[in-house]
Amino acid sequence: MNNSNKLAGKRVLITAGAQGIGESITKHFIDCGAHVAIHYFSSADMAEELTKYALDKGQKALAIKGDLTNEIEAAEMVERTIVALGGLDILINNAGSLVARKMLSDIDTEFWHKVMDINLTSMMFVTRAASPHLAKNNNSSIVNLASLAGRKGGHPGSLAYATSKGAILTYTRALSTELGGQGTRVNAVAPGLILGTLFHNTHTTKESAAATTASIPIKRAGNADDVARAVLYLASEYDGFITGATLDINGGVYNM
């Protein structure tokens, strides 16, 4: 059975699903026949465009704005998803940000907590709210977005970001053990250099991107579709035997 057949009719919530990698993930799910709830923070136009794209295909869809570092807004997003889609089969925790590059000597307490809240605490808020709904299915799936920075430590100035993404690797393993009994598999992906996204357009210089690309064994950077296909694979195996795993998507730069 191919991924499209497995995902047709599944109810999916994608955080930060209207920008960069999240946009590609959302579109791939729609093309596979899934019903989607598209969370966004600032990308309203794309969220509405993706919603229309799904509705035009005869699938359920809605766009939900929210600050996921706010516990109440995170829970409300999940509840709106349940009402609109009639339940939840798959959760994609994609929201996250580097925020800014800061060396240890420049990191103040407020910045540290901001990065941790955006990348890690928000993921816990959303997952905690979604877990009881995922448990209502015989099989369900969560895919968390980590990063190669969580494996290697990242480039200078990404200490807080890399630490939060490294924590997601452990969070994924721990959560897979905790939720396994309810039939929910939990996995992660760890993308490397993925060009063409706002993240790297904002935080990566052309010189740095070129140097990193030159070090990649397959001699190209990744793109958002490379990540989306991997996310869909893990999600489509919602009835499979893979859980607690992290799939590295980096062209061979780092192997675990």
Side-chain angles (χ1 to χ4, degrees):
M1 184 179 292
N2 62 36
N3 286 356
S4 178
N5 288 338
K6 284 188 172 184
L7 292 171
K10 296 300 177 183
R11 300 157 298 183
V12 188
L13 169 59
I14 308 107
T15 66
Q19 178 179 286
I21 290 173
E23 176 189 340
S24 182
I25 291 170
T26 300
K27 189 171 186 302
H28 275 70
F29 272 115
I30 294 171
D31 287 340
C32 286
H35 307 298
V36 294
I38 307 160
H39 160 263
Y40 70 96
F41 182 69
S42 60
S43 304
D45 290 345
M46 179 53 65
E48 292 300 333
E49 183 177 324
L50 288 166
T51 299
K52 183 178 185 301
Y53 181 67
L55 293 173
D56 287 346
K57 287 177 171 286
Q59 294 152 225
K60 296 177 182 178
L62 76 158
I64 308 171
K65 181 177 182 179
D67 176 3
L68 301 185
T69 67
N70 182 300
E71 186 174 1
I72 294 174
E73 290 191 34
E76 288 177 345
M77 175 195 66
V78 172
E79 289 306 314
R80 288 184 61 189
T81 297
I82 300 306
V83 171
L85 303 187
L88 187 64
D89 300 291
I90 298 166
L91 169 63
I92 309 300
N93 282 314
N94 173 64
S97 176
L98 178 69
V99 181
R101 292 196 183 277
K102 289 193 177 186
M103 304 296 283
L104 176 61
S105 58
D106 297 321
I107 293 176
D108 57 28
T109 303
E110 181 180 359
F111 176 80
W112 179 266
H113 285 299
K114 181 177 182 178
V115 175
M116 294 300 161
D117 285 347
I118 290 173
N119 293 329
L120 190 60
T121 307
S122 66
M123 188 177 291
M124 185 275 289
F125 286 159
V126 174
T127 307
R128 186 179 62 191
S131 177
H133 301 287
L134 293 168
K136 294 178 181 179
N137 310 310
N138 290 328
N139 298 289
S140 54
S141 181
I142 298 172
V143 182
N144 300 322
L145 272 288
S147 170
L148 176 60
R151 296 286 206 194
K152 296 184 68 178
H155 292 288
S158 58
L159 173 64
Y161 174 79
T163 301
S164 68
K165 290 297 185 176
I168 290 172
L169 303 178
T170 301
Y171 174 84
T172 298
R173 291 191 294 269
L175 197 62
S176 70
T177 301
E178 187 166 323
L179 300 188
Q182 71 175 38
T184 303
R185 294 181 314 100
V186 186
N187 293 292
V189 295
L193 180 63
I194 308 297
L195 295 183
T197 63
L198 179 63
F199 179 99
H200 283 293
N201 290 343
T202 302
H203 300 294
T204 305
T205 65
K206 291 182 179 179
E207 293 76 15
S208 176
T212 300
T213 301
S215 70
I216 297 174
I218 64 171
K219 300 304 177 185
R220 76 167 177 88
N223 57 59
D225 289 346
D226 290 323
V227 182
R229 288 192 299 271
V231 169
L232 259 70
Y233 165 70
L234 291 172
S236 69
E237 287 294 304
Y238 59 89
D239 58 351
F241 199 54
I242 303 172
T243 192
T246 296
L247 182 56
D248 293 292
I249 311 166
N250 56 50
V253 169
Y254 184 91
N255 294 299
M256 186 72 175

